[in-house]
Amino acid sequence: MSLGVVILAAGKGTRMRSALPKVLHPLAGRPLLRHVLDAAEAVGAARVCVVYGHGGEMVPSTLADAECAWVEQAERLGTGHAVQQALPAMTGVERVLVLYGDVPLIEPETLNRLVADSAETALGLLTMTLADPTGYGRIVRDADGRVLRSVEHKDASDAERAITEVNTGIIVAHRQRLEDWLGRVGNDNVQREYYLTDVIGLATGDGVDVVTAQPETLEEVAGINDRIQLAELERYHQRRTAECLMRRGTTIIDPARIDIRGTLECERDVVLDVNLICEGRVRIGAGARIGPNCLLKDCEIGPGVEVLANCVIEGARVGAGARVGPFARLRPEADLGRDCHVGNFVEIKKSQIAEGSKVNHLTYIGDTEMGRGVNIGAGTITCNYDGANKHRTVIGDGAFIGSNTALVAPVNIGAGATIGAGSVIVRDAPAEQLTLARGRQVTIEGWERPVKKPKV
Ligand code: UD1
Ligand code: CA
């Protein structure tokens, strides 16, 4: 049985007070609408159509890679009218599921349940029961508990307003029947809108048995109208992600202070201290520890690694047992071998650093191939850029670079070479030798400090 998904996203989002369309605001680093598109994919939608609002061209252009049809609803005439705009894109599917671009946390399992439970009938409805149902459409049932219709809060009588079962807005309907019902929906109501919810009364009038299902949590069906609700759902989502990690064997010191914007995979016994932000795809090996205030983006941290406080690691790989930070920055293509140490105020870009090498303080290493067991003194800089081109530095196994050295690339430092502190190295330094490039120290015999002339 093929399923089509229509996602309504034509709302103005006035209360966001934003130049960005509401459904493009990020939750866990991805646009709200992206979450809904993912849910549609997860339920195996054969076709997806997003209804976006007038002037909202930024929506399809931002999500141009999504496999869906885009339909502009030029005038916002109501949810029923909006779904109608999407029906031409639904040809060929048997049933249509309606979702909302500003309801990002809907669970595919809930949708699957709704779709399965209503498989034998033409209309399924996701409802929930709220202590305070104000504002929502109410589900009116007959004495036997069968759904009769849904009535919008604004159109409801006092008796109907006392009903606590409300419409989440999410429905699944037989496509052809839906087309027929929508054709019969009018706008004779308080808001002068074509209500999607009116199809419920039309269906029961046609003798259709309306089946309802409920979500596991209210957050699943919570819509976002302003930045306060956005922040609330963000925290809820982050909490759940953290709980998922903890259940699988990760220690999170404070699950209220972690943000996963992408995917984080941890092997067992990883410890994550507070204020970690992960972006893109991050993998952390067994027993690794991440100190407070770190940003990890698209990187791989090996087993047993210790990342100390305040590090930024992006597009990098850190080998098993290495120690990084505090205050280190690993940039794209930094590749640290086993047991390396990269210390404070060190920046590494596009460089391989082999096993056991140490770059402990105040250093920039760029476009470098470094062997094993190298020791880089404090304040060493690879001068990799001449203003036009980038050049490589090669440092052999076991080399020792004295503090405050400038390695002017392209340059090779041989294996076991020692470079005297304060050198500016512009030519290759041979293996196993001491190379110095600095002014010789002299002491001037009998020199005396000038003294001020006494005033007359
Ligand atoms: C709707 C339901 C209500 C339900 C509530 C749950 C209707 C008539 N009412 O009310 O029963 O309890 O959701 O939150 O469906 N939209 C469009 N084009 C339009 C109108 C709306 O794309 O012409 C989109 C909006 O962007 C929004 C969604 O549909 O994301 C819901 O529209 P809204 O007008 O806010 O309906 P509610 O009053 O919330
Ligand atoms: Ca709404």
Side-chain angles (χ1 to χ4, degrees):
M1 191 231 25
S2 64
L3 183 72
V5 171
V6 172
I7 302 175
L8 301 192
K12 280 217 205 72
T14 317
R15 280 184 278 163
M16 295 301 281
R17 298 187 186 280
S18 177
L20 192 66
K22 177 166 74 175
V23 296
L24 294 183
H25 278 259
L27 184 140
R30 290 146 69 243
L32 297 178
L33 181 53
R34 178 74 80 185
H35 290 264
V36 187
L37 287 162
D38 287 352
E41 197 190 317
V43 298
R47 289 167 190 270
V48 179
C49 179
V50 179
V51 181
Y52 66 98
H54 180 61
E57 291 304 330
M58 214 171 162
V59 177
S61 63
T62 304
L63 298 169
D65 60 334
E67 278 185 37
C68 64
W70 297 95
V71 176
E72 187 189 312
Q73 186 191 22
E75 265 188 295
R76 227 176 145 272
L77 301 179
T79 48
H81 176 261
V83 171
Q84 227 173 5
Q85 309 310 299
L87 288 178
M90 292 289 119
T91 45
V93 303
E94 250 176 276
R95 299 171 81 197
V96 173
L97 173 67
V98 180
L99 303 179
Y100 299 84
D102 57 0
V103 180
L105 298 186
I106 185 66
E107 285 290 342
E109 292 85 86
T110 299
L111 298 174
N112 283 333
R113 195 150 41 76
L114 171 66
V115 169
D117 289 358
S118 60
E120 303 297 317
T121 186
L123 192 61
L125 209 48
L126 196 68
T127 71
M128 58 185 167
T129 300
L130 297 177
D132 177 12
T134 308
Y136 289 90
R138 309 298 205 282
I139 305 298
V140 182
R141 291 179 184 262
D142 69 12
D144 297 326
R146 277 189 298 256
V147 173
L148 288 178
R149 61 194 179 94
S150 172
V151 58
E152 290 305 286
H153 181 94
K154 286 178 182 158
D155 300 302
S157 64
D158 285 347
E160 286 164 339
R161 284 184 185 179
I163 298 171
T164 54
E165 186 186 11
V166 304
N167 174 29
T168 64
I170 293 173
I171 70 163
V172 59
H174 186 271
R175 182 186 56 83
Q176 269 165 0
R177 306 294 297 270
L178 180 63
E179 203 166 326
D180 167 50
W181 294 324
L182 285 174
R184 286 151 62 193
V185 167
N187 67 347
D188 183 16
N189 52 53
V190 172
Q191 302 186 79
R192 296 256 146 244
E193 283 184 13
Y194 296 88
Y195 292 158
L196 173 62
T197 46
D198 281 359
V199 306
I200 300 163
L202 289 166
T204 57
D206 285 354
V208 168
D209 190 18
V210 176
V211 169
T212 57
Q214 283 72 42
E216 291 280 326
T217 66
L218 296 182
E219 286 84 357
E220 275 188 60
V221 292
I224 290 172
N225 293 305
D226 59 33
R227 298 185 202 233
I228 295 166
Q229 291 167 341
L230 177 62
E232 280 167 2
L233 272 203
E234 174 81 36
R235 282 340 304 162
Y236 170 80
H237 177 75
Q238 292 299 342
R239 172 84 202 191
R240 283 216 332 193
T241 308
E243 284 171 2
C244 200
L245 284 161
M246 292 189 284
R247 267 187 221 106
R248 291 186 200 153
T250 300
T251 293
I252 297 180
I253 302 295
D254 181 357
R257 283 183 287 170
I258 183 167
D259 287 83
I260 314 296
R261 302 170 189 157
T263 58
L264 169 61
E265 285 170 52
C266 291
E267 290 176 5
R268 53 171 55 185
D269 294 318
V270 165
V271 178
L272 306 176
D273 211 330
V274 301
N275 298 331
L276 171 64
I277 295 179
C278 287
E279 293 180 357
R281 197 184 156 87
V282 174
R283 293 201 302 173
I284 305 180
R289 304 174 71 89
I290 311 297
N293 311 319
C294 290
L295 171 60
L296 305 181
K297 182 174 182 184
D298 295 314
C299 61
E300 200 179 321
I301 309 292
V305 165
E306 184 150 24
V307 176
L308 300 168
N310 303 303
C311 290
V312 177
I313 301 181
E314 180 183 353
R317 200 189 66 87
V318 179
R323 197 179 70 206
V324 178
F327 297 100
R329 180 173 183 209
L330 303 183
R331 290 171 52 199
E333 293 178 61
D335 187 346
L336 273 50
R338 298 180 73 88
D339 301 321
C340 285
H341 289 181
V342 167
N344 32 212
F345 307 106
V346 171
E347 175 181 346
I348 297 183
K349 185 215 80 168
K350 206 173 185 178
S351 296
Q352 289 80 48
I353 297 186
E355 195 175 325
S357 288
K358 292 179 181 157
V359 188
N360 271 330
H361 333 265
L362 302 156
T363 287
Y364 172 62
I365 301 292
D367 304 303
T368 295
E369 192 184 316
M370 192 186 297
R372 299 161 169 239
V374 170
N375 195 307
I376 304 284
T380 296
I381 305 291
T382 53
C383 308
N384 60 326
Y385 185 52
D386 60 16
N389 299 297
K390 303 267 167 68
H391 302 282
R392 291 190 67 78
T393 298
V394 178
I395 303 174
D397 292 346
F400 181 99
I401 312 296
S403 295
N404 201 31
T405 291
L407 300 170
V408 182
V411 71
N412 282 284
I413 308 297
T418 300
I419 306 297
S423 293
V424 176
I425 301 294
V426 297
R427 286 189 305 275
D428 290 355
E432 307 294 342
Q433 313 276 316
L434 170 65
T435 300
L436 295 172
R438 65 180 186 223
R440 243 172 217 283
Q441 180 169 328
V442 292
T443 301
I444 311 296
E445 292 282 340
W447 179 83
E448 279 173 20
R449 278 191 199 171
V451 288
K452 278 186 182 161
K453 287 197 183 104
K455 285 201 179 117
V456 282

